[in-house]
Amino acid sequence: MTREENFTHIGKPLLRKEDRRLLTGHGRFLDDVVLPGALHVCFVRAPHAHARIAAIDTSAAVDMSGVVGVFTGRDLAEWTTKLRLAPPIEGLQPVEMTTLPVDRVRFYGDPVACVVAEDRYAAEDAAEVVSVEYVALDCVTDTDAALADGAPLVDETLPSNLVSQQSFSSGNPAARRADAHAVVEARFNLHRHTHVPLETRGCAADWDAGRAHLTMHIGTQTPHPLRSQLASRLRLAENQVTVISPDVGGGFGQKIALYREELTVAALSRHLERPVHWREDRLENLTAASHARECHCRTRTAVDPEGRILGLELELMEDFGAYCFYPANYMARVVAMILTGPYRISDYAFEVKVALTNKCGNGPMRAPMAVTSWIMDGTIEAIARQLGLDPLDVRRINALTQDDLPYTMATGEVLEDITPLETLEAAASKIDVAAFRKRQAEARKQGRFLGLGFCSVVESTTYGSAFYKAAGIPGSGHEAAWVRIEPSGAVNASVGLMGTGQGYETPLAQAVAEGLGVPPDLVNVQMGHTDIAPYGMGSRGGRGATAGGGTLYLCARKAQERVLTIAACMLNLNEPTNLRLHDGQVERMLDGRWQCTGVALADVAKRAYLEPTSLPEGISPGLDVSLTYDPPPMTYSNATHACEVEVEIATGRVSIDRYVVTEDCGTVLNPVVVRGQQQGAVAMGLSGALFEQVIYDESGQNLTATLADYLVATACELPDFEIFPMNTPNRRTPAGIKGMSEGGVMGSIGSVALAVSDALAPFGVVVEQLPISPQSLRTALRGKRPETGEKERME
Amino acid sequence: MKETDYKVTLSLIVNGETRNVRVLPQRLLSDVLREDLGLTGTHVGCEHGVCGACTVLVDGAPARSCLTFAVQMEGHEITTVESVARDGELSPLQQALHEEHGLQCGFCTPGIVMTFEAYLKENPTPSTTEIRDVLSGNLCRCTGYQNIVAAILKAAATLREKGVE
Ligand code: FES
Ligand code: FES
């Protein structure tokens, strides 16, 4: 791939194009889309974790003023096909689901009926009088119960609730364990999260009966794959569906799948031949959209006396909830695949199990592999504790160095152009560990408990098509773009991504500007409309910059070549070799410097569109270039996070005193946007590690159905983040771009958990379960005294 | 009885203009602003008073429009985000949010703009702690708040300079 070190537009801290409309109230989000005559829906949801639907009586609802109809799973089963997920992955059970449940509900919040009315108030009122007769069934709300003998089945078509199980071994970890100086065991339990985009889900479906065409307005990260799903589930051809994504108020992985409610709304619009609008309320979003993360992990590590890792074994069990919108091994697989990350570990084995439970189904949430770095660096800390070593030294002795690269991980993943030791040392020096340890010792004497946690991250990003192929997952990781120079010289471009707030419009315009040779503010990047954008794979897995930006950059370069071929003819040159487009002007290299030719992009465009007879031979009219690009199977970014905390022993309150990130995410398209992503990712990780938790009681009732119960960190709980960029370009991607934006979650979960454990070391308390709530810390500390000899003050 | 029979006619003062609407009495101010008056800059993030996205000014003071019935608002001055920029020029707060990258998806932004348009009038010299304290009434899932705080500090400084001029 081409290497260019000196960029004109890539890497410039330009401010965002989308800000003006968003700041003035002129953003256009889903619920701002008004389709004349639209009907509104409200879903009737199950109040049980597991129950048989004995009968649904809709008569009272149907009689209410403004109600158009009430529809159930049986209606939807006629109008739509089932979702079948059966990729050829060993150990993964094939699953199917109907659009709405027909005879059985599987979690609290499962949609059982849909009321359609003239407005949302009427639909909500009528939903209250739809009477559903349930026969409650036994439920399973954790993985132990789910896998117990005779457990009630979440999915009756499966032999057990163990929906997926894979194991892997490379080298001989068992033998390493037998020979080891010591074997270190550690546990890591990550709780259930949910995404909480500030804008909930929603959609507006518009069936045009005359043209037999569905237009679906929906905030989505993946417009084209969603269109494919919608078409196939509605038995329509793919050219009978248009997906249009307006501005999206956050996605974080929640806005990828085609959910059952959305398909229902689309089917209803077709059935009723009217536009139909749905806006999810927050209760539905918290209880029934998508959950994430809940998993139980254990490592066993064989080490030598210096803490060198000889062999590593991982057991991971994920609680997947009741429905699979993704193959059930989808997220856990990546954790196991990249676990060894920054460290040199050749003997490695894992056993990954995924169980179904009667809870809302899991999906990928910003850093589906979030737990990874906590497990790995927590394992390092456990080694240091057990052997009495300095945990930074244990990291150093195991860290990959530049001499090790490219490094093939035990799982076969190849790491190159990463800097794990460098980010670690940079973070350690920013923190000044010696000074911290001194402060910590002083504070302990006064009964105050400070802690420092480091967490190094190797973040898998981009996911090219070879990754999907190797994983057996349907789908691809390539991307598509077009660049059009219009007759006036204005530049339009498009790509198959769809932003959900990242701020794509500016950095992607910079990628086009760089490739084409025009100022970025002349470039308009259009995304989210499937009739305008080329078929691309959308936004997920840190692929926006490499797949999206990379494809646009390459496409723009191709467009520049075309422009210069025409310009050469206009300048009576045989070849465009010594020409370039710069700032929208054609320049020629003469006497060792670039000189103006007097030909502008607009002149070339005019020639291309309006004077095609004077184009050079073999050049067709117009300036319309498209390109697809398949990035490497994976690109890796890396970082080290360092977090200083103070734990108030009397209350269990954790405050974050300092937060440092040293991050190497390759060539950066726009540092303003990248920094925003880093801050947001760290914030999301910390919020999750300290406050957020989806809680079900043993009967499967969701107890966290409002934002007063599911706590998201506010401005008072989060610190300022000190972020230090270290940019090693990736040698295989256009312009050296790597992905980013999920690693911050991985590093912050790990660093804060390890910092709290460090603070509580005198009490012998190690954090093994998140979230680190005041209650959980008080429980762990109960009856314990610090070993410093100082009396704990406020017990 | 038909639903329309319950409707009431209201006269609201929104962004300095009198607007008459005929709505059901249970209709929330957020819905009336967004759906009856087409002022969709006010966002609804939770409808239970926690997220702050729906914040508007009522007689100059921030209020949650999702917890307010429109019928309560007769005779009160309501200000929404659409009125903050004047003649296409961003307010110092909006400009600072742009310059400091204080927004990503922008869904929370109108609520934050309204909260601090009011707060900076009340306290022209806020400390970081005070800003974070007031900002804690507005959830933002994207930014981690750091740049919002920086933007508000900057806006406060700009407003102070302007005041001196
Ligand atoms: S929508 Fe009003 S506070 Fe959330
Ligand atoms: S910018 Fe997305 S919620 Fe604040």
Side-chain angles (χ1 to χ4, degrees), chain A residues 39-226:
Chain A
L39 300 169
H40 293 258
V41 305
C42 178
F43 288 90
V44 178
R45 293 180 182 274
H48 298 284
H50 194 193
R52 200 163 57 73
I53 303 170
I56 303 178
D57 180 358
T58 61
S59 52
V62 170
D63 286 346
M64 283 176 67
S65 155
V67 172
V68 172
V70 181
F71 303 90
T72 68
R74 291 189 195 287
D75 301 310
L76 273 301
E78 272 179 43
W79 305 330
T80 58
T81 67
K82 290 179 185 172
L83 172 66
R84 181 172 166 78
L85 274 186
I89 296 171
E90 208 185 313
L92 178 71
Q93 301 290 334
V95 290
E96 266 189 3
M97 78 173 99
T98 53
T99 300
L100 291 180
V102 174
D103 46 24
R104 214 159 55 90
V105 294
R106 297 186 190 176
F107 74 99
Y108 170 93
D110 219 350
V112 287
C114 181
V115 177
V116 186
E118 297 291 343
D119 73 38
R120 194 162 53 90
Y121 285 65
E124 284 177 13
D125 289 348
E128 304 227 325
V129 303
V130 173
S131 133
V132 185
E133 194 186 313
Y134 295 99
V135 179
L137 303 170
D138 288 341
C139 67
V140 287
T141 57
D142 62 49
T143 53
D144 283 346
L147 300 183
D149 282 342
L153 289 176
V154 177
D155 182 337
E156 281 176 327
T157 66
L158 300 185
S160 80
N161 292 320
L162 185 63
V163 65
S164 179
Q165 175 174 22
Q166 284 86 27
S167 51
F168 167 89
S169 184
S170 165
N172 194 342
R176 298 291 88 78
R177 190 156 22 92
D179 303 340
H181 166 71
V183 175
V184 178
E185 301 212 3
R187 285 173 189 280
F188 308 90
N189 296 314
L190 189 60
H191 57 293
R192 206 166 189 78
H193 288 59
T194 186
H195 310 63
V196 197
L198 208 58
E199 182 196 28
T200 55
R201 296 178 299 161
C203 60
D206 194 1
W207 175 255
D208 178 336
R211 291 163 60 231
H213 193 97
L214 174 73
T215 302
M216 185 75 161
H217 304 264
I218 179 169
T220 176
Q221 301 173 226
T222 51
H224 288 95
L226 190 91

Side-chain angles (χ1 to χ4, degrees), chain A residues 15-16 19-20 22-25 29 31-32 65 120-121 194-196 198-199 248-250 252 279 282 365 500-501 672-673 676-677 679-680 683-684 687 692 706-707 712-716 718-721, chain B residues 3 26-28 31 34-35 40-41 43-48 50-51 53 81-82 85 88 90 94 97-99 101 103-110 113 132-133 135-136 139 141-147:
Chain A
L15 297 178
R16 304 196 323 164
D19 285 357
R20 168 166 278 275
L22 298 173
L23 281 162
T24 55
F29 295 89
D31 212 38
D32 307 340
S65 155
R120 194 162 53 90
Y121 285 65
T194 186
H195 310 63
V196 197
L198 208 58
E199 182 196 28
V248 188
F252 313 113
R279 194 195 82 208
R282 182 56 67 184
M365 173 172 164
T500 47
V672 175
V673 167
Q677 289 301 299
Q679 292 167 341
M684 185 171 273
S687 176
E692 299 173 28
T706 75
L707 289 176
V712 173
T714 75
C716 285
L718 293 176
D720 279 343
F721 310 115
Chain B
E3 197 186 56
Q26 67 264 41
R27 215 158 156 75
L28 299 173
D31 289 337
R34 292 178 44 78
E35 293 167 18
T40 55
H43 295 156
V44 174
C46 70
E47 256 182 343
H48 50 247
V50 179
C51 75
V81 69
E82 284 87 351
L90 298 181
Q94 290 170 319
L97 283 161
H98 173 54
E99 288 168 8
H101 188 22
L103 63 152
Q104 290 185 24
C105 78
F107 200 79
C108 68
T109 308
V113 168
R132 284 193 176 265
D133 194 44
L135 186 55
S136 70
L139 291 181
R141 191 56 158 165
C142 300
T143 63
Y145 305 107
Q146 182 169 351
N147 294 351

